[in-house]
Amino acid sequence: QFPDLVGRRDVEGAHTQGTGIFHRVLADVPCSGDGTMRKNPEIWRKWRTLSGLQLHPLQTDIAYHGARLLQVGGLMVFSTCSLNPLEDEAVVAEVLRRSEGALRLVDVGDRFPGLKRHEGVTSWPVLFDRRRLFEDPTKAKAPEADAAAADAVKDEPKKEGEDMAV
């Protein structure tokens, strides 16, 4: 459970809930670190297939909490040092799903023309353990896992019949 932050005062002078207080949020979540294997060979020894599944719920909760702290029109950057789509794209997809249209992905490539980047994946197999591979992550049953890096902008809640751009 994350603590609520005290927001601005409303018109009656009472403190608002801890939502919508920041223009920008950086959600640099804990991760397996598998994206640092080249410079940190020790990761190879510690790495397990379940690492991403076990971290996914915590990463999602942190990112979603960060998104709740955004003001409408605010920008959130989600960051890991993992290459695992369960720790990247799957977290972003779950945060977008939970937001029910209040968030959308935005391409910020034009703001950083020298940044080397690639589009994320839109589907991924889930290796639950050495014996089972799940093509559909919703069928994976891992302890505390409810199975990417992207930016999200908080929008007004989606109105009935309105399309959402992702």
Side-chain angles (χ1 to χ4, degrees):
Q1 183 70 19
F2 298 103
D4 279 333
L5 299 178
V6 177
R8 297 175 304 272
R9 294 188 183 274
D10 64 16
V11 289
E12 287 86 33
H15 284 289
T16 61
Q17 283 293 329
T19 59
I21 358 181
F22 299 110
H23 296 285
R24 304 285 185 264
V25 170
L26 169 61
D28 186 15
V29 301
C31 67
S32 65
D34 61 14
T36 66
M37 286 183 180
R38 185 174 56 89
K39 68 179 183 180
N40 185 3
E42 186 65 20
I43 295 291
W44 281 108
R45 191 175 63 75
K46 296 178 187 176
W47 188 86
R48 302 288 181 268
T49 56
L50 282 177
S51 296
L53 282 172
Q54 291 170 334
L55 288 166
H56 177 82
L58 176 62
Q59 294 166 331
T60 302
D61 288 348
I62 292 170
Y64 187 69
H65 185 69
R68 287 185 60 237
L69 295 173
L70 280 175
Q71 293 178 358
V72 171
L75 179 71
M76 182 174 95
V77 175
F78 175 79
S79 169
T80 72
C81 53
S82 174
L83 300 173
N84 186 343
L86 291 176
E87 297 183 68
D88 296 325
E89 289 92 342
V91 173
V92 172
E94 178 60 15
V95 170
L96 290 171
R97 186 193 69 76
R98 283 187 193 178
S99 76
E100 298 178 338
L103 297 174
R104 65 183 167 95
L105 284 180
V106 289
D107 182 354
V108 294
D110 59 330
R111 295 184 194 177
F112 306 100
L115 180 66
K116 292 181 183 179
R117 61 191 186 87
H118 300 279
E119 287 190 27
V121 296
T122 56
S123 64
W124 46 87
V126 177
L127 183 60
F128 182 67
D129 60 27
R130 287 189 171 98
R131 296 174 301 276
R132 295 179 289 168
L133 175 71
F134 293 92
E135 292 298 329
D136 181 356
T138 61
K139 294 180 180 162
K141 302 285 189 227
E144 300 179 44
D146 60 336
D151 302 310
V153 171
K154 189 167 186 178
D155 289 330
E156 294 290 343
K158 186 176 166 184
K159 294 178 181 69
E160 188 94 36
E162 186 179 62
D163 289 325
M164 183 176 115
V166 176

